[in-house]
Amino acid sequence: MHTKSDSEVTSVDQSWPARSPRRPLYYVQSPSNHDVEKMSYGSSPLGSPHHYYHSSPIHHSRESSTSRFSVSLKNPRNLSSWKKLHQSQHHDDDDHDDDVGDADQGSGHNIRLYLCFILLFVLLFTVFSLILWGASKSYGPKVLVKNIVFENLNIQAGNDDTGVPTDMLSLNSTVRIVYRNPATFFGVHVTSTPLELHYYQLSLASGQMKKFYVKRKKEKKMVVVVSGHQVPLYGGVSALGNARQQKQNVALPLNLTFVVRSRAHILGSLVRSKFYRRIRCSVTLHGSKLGKPANLTHSCLYN
C-alpha cells in the first residue's frame, strides 16, 4: 500500500510540467539591542551576518528608515541622549530668560542707586550751603565814617536854568571812610549809592564811591569827594542869609547819607550773601573851620 502511493505520487509529479525555480525569500529583521549598540558606535550593518539587504534602492530606504525608527525606540541610550538634549535646550532657554530678567533688574537697581546718590548729594550740598550762608551772616562788614573836611564854601548871586535869579551855592568836601571785612572764608565786592549832603530836603552836594574788593580779614581806606556846583537855593536856606558878607559866622547843619552794598561769593556763584549798611551822619558846616576835619566817629548811625 505504501508502494502504491509512492508510485502514484511519482506519476503525478511527472505528469505536471516542470515549475520555474522559486525565488528565495527575504526577511527584514529588526536589529537586536546588541546590534544597535554596535551601530551606535559606528559599526556598519553590512558587517552583521544576520542581515541581508536587497539591492533595490526603494527597499534600502524602507529598511534604513525602519532601522532608524527601531534604533530610536529600542536603544535606551539614544532615548536618554535625546531627552537630555531636549532638556538642555529648555534649560538654556530658561537660563537666557533668567539672564535677561536679571540684567533688567540689575539695570533698574543701578538707576535707583544713581538717583538716590544724586538726591543725597543735592541734599548734602544744600545743607552745607545753608550752613555756610548762615555762618556768613555773622561776618557782616564794618563801615566807619571817620571824618569830613569842608574844603571851601562859596555863595553868590546867579540865575538857574530857567533864568530865575537866586543865590547859588558851591561846596567842596572830602569824606574819609574805613571799610573792614571780618570774614575768615570769603571776600566781598563793595559798591554804594551816591554820598549826599542835605539841608533838610534840599541836596547841596553829592559824590560817588568807586567799586572795590576786600579780601578776607582785610580793610580798605577810602576818600570820597562830595561836592556841589552852582546849586540854586531859592531862599530856602535861611542860615546862609549873611554868608556872602560874613562867611566865618556860617553854621549850617547838614546830613550825610549813603548806603554801602556788599556782595560775598562764599562758594563761587552758587552760594552768595549780600549785606547792606545804611549810614546817616549829622555834621555842622562851620565857616570858621574850613579845611579842618570834623570828626564823625560818634555822629553816625549804621543800620
Side-chain angles (χ1 to χ4, degrees):
M1 191 172 174
H2 177 73
T3 305
K4 184 179 181 178
S5 61
D6 292 339
S7 62
E8 290 178 357
V9 170
T10 303
S11 62
V12 171
D13 292 337
Q14 292 177 356
S15 62
W16 286 91
R19 296 182 178 180
S20 62
R22 295 183 178 180
R23 295 180 179 180
L25 298 178
Y26 295 93
Y27 298 93
V28 177
Q29 182 178 357
S30 299
S32 62
N33 293 336
H34 181 70
D35 295 334
V36 170
E37 291 178 359
K38 290 182 178 180
M39 292 175 63
S40 63
Y41 284 102
S43 61
S44 174
L46 295 176
S48 175
H50 302 285
H51 294 279
Y52 300 93
Y53 295 92
H54 197 269
S55 62
S56 174
I58 298 176
H59 182 76
H60 177 71
S61 62
R62 289 179 180 177
E63 183 178 349
S64 61
S65 62
T66 305
S67 301
R68 290 174 186 173
F69 183 73
S70 62
V71 167
S72 64
L73 291 179
K74 291 185 178 182
N75 191 354
R77 293 187 179 181
N78 289 346
L79 286 176
S80 62
S81 301
W82 182 80
K83 290 180 180 180
K84 288 180 180 179
L85 178 61
H86 186 67
Q87 291 177 357
S88 64
Q89 290 178 353
H90 282 285
H91 183 67
D92 292 339
D93 294 338
D94 294 338
D95 290 341
H96 179 70
D97 295 337
D98 293 339
D99 292 339
V100 173
D102 293 339
D104 294 338
Q105 291 179 358
S107 61
H109 183 65
N110 291 335
I111 292 174
R112 287 193 295 269
L113 285 178
Y114 293 150
L115 291 177
C116 292
F117 177 76
I118 292 173
L119 291 176
L120 181 61
F121 175 78
V122 171
L123 179 62
L124 292 177
F125 181 79
T126 303
V127 173
F128 179 71
S129 301
L130 289 175
I131 292 174
L132 288 179
W133 181 82
S136 67
K137 291 301 180 181
S138 61
Y139 292 95
K142 308 296 182 181
V143 182
L144 178 63
V145 181
K146 296 191 68 176
N147 57 58
I148 183 172
V149 179
F150 293 102
E151 303 292 344
N152 57 60
L153 174 63
N154 187 19
I155 299 173
Q156 61 185 10
N159 297 322
D160 63 2
D161 293 339
T162 60
V164 177
T166 182
D167 291 336
M168 310 294 286
L169 180 144
S170 295
L171 176 65
N172 188 17
S173 65
T174 56
V175 180
R176 286 174 171 81
I177 303 172
V178 177
Y179 182 98
R180 184 174 183 271
N181 177 23
T184 58
F185 57 94
F186 60 85
V188 289
H189 299 266
V190 184
T191 60
S192 82
T193 60
L195 283 72
E196 294 184 346
L197 282 171
H198 293 270
Y199 176 79
Y200 294 100
Q201 301 298 323
L202 179 62
S203 177
L204 301 180
S206 65
Q208 182 64 55
M209 182 189 300
K210 293 181 179 181
K211 299 178 182 180
F212 59 92
Y213 175 79
V214 181
K215 296 181 180 180
R216 56 185 181 179
K217 301 187 70 174
K218 298 292 183 179
E219 68 178 21
K220 184 176 179 61
K221 297 178 180 180
M222 297 159 291
V223 177
V224 183
V225 177
V226 181
S227 62
H229 180 69
Q230 297 294 314
V231 180
L233 300 178
Y234 300 111
V237 184
S238 59
L240 296 177
N242 299 326
R244 283 184 292 179
Q245 292 81 15
Q246 299 179 355
K247 189 181 297 184
Q248 292 80 8
N249 297 329
V250 172
L252 183 65
L254 299 174
N255 290 318
L256 175 67
T257 59
F258 63 100
V259 178
V260 177
R261 296 174 295 203
S262 306
R263 185 178 69 255
H265 291 184
I266 302 171
L267 195 62
S269 299
L270 298 176
V271 181
R272 296 181 295 180
S273 186
K274 295 181 180 180
F275 305 92
Y276 295 92
R277 283 286 187 177
R278 292 174 174 84
I279 302 170
R280 181 186 178 92
C281 302
S282 299
V283 59
T284 301
L285 189 158
H286 294 281
S288 60
K289 296 182 178 179
L290 293 178
K292 296 180 181 180
N295 190 4
L296 298 178
T297 305
H298 302 289
S299 303
C300 298
L301 298 176
Y302 303 91
N303 298 320

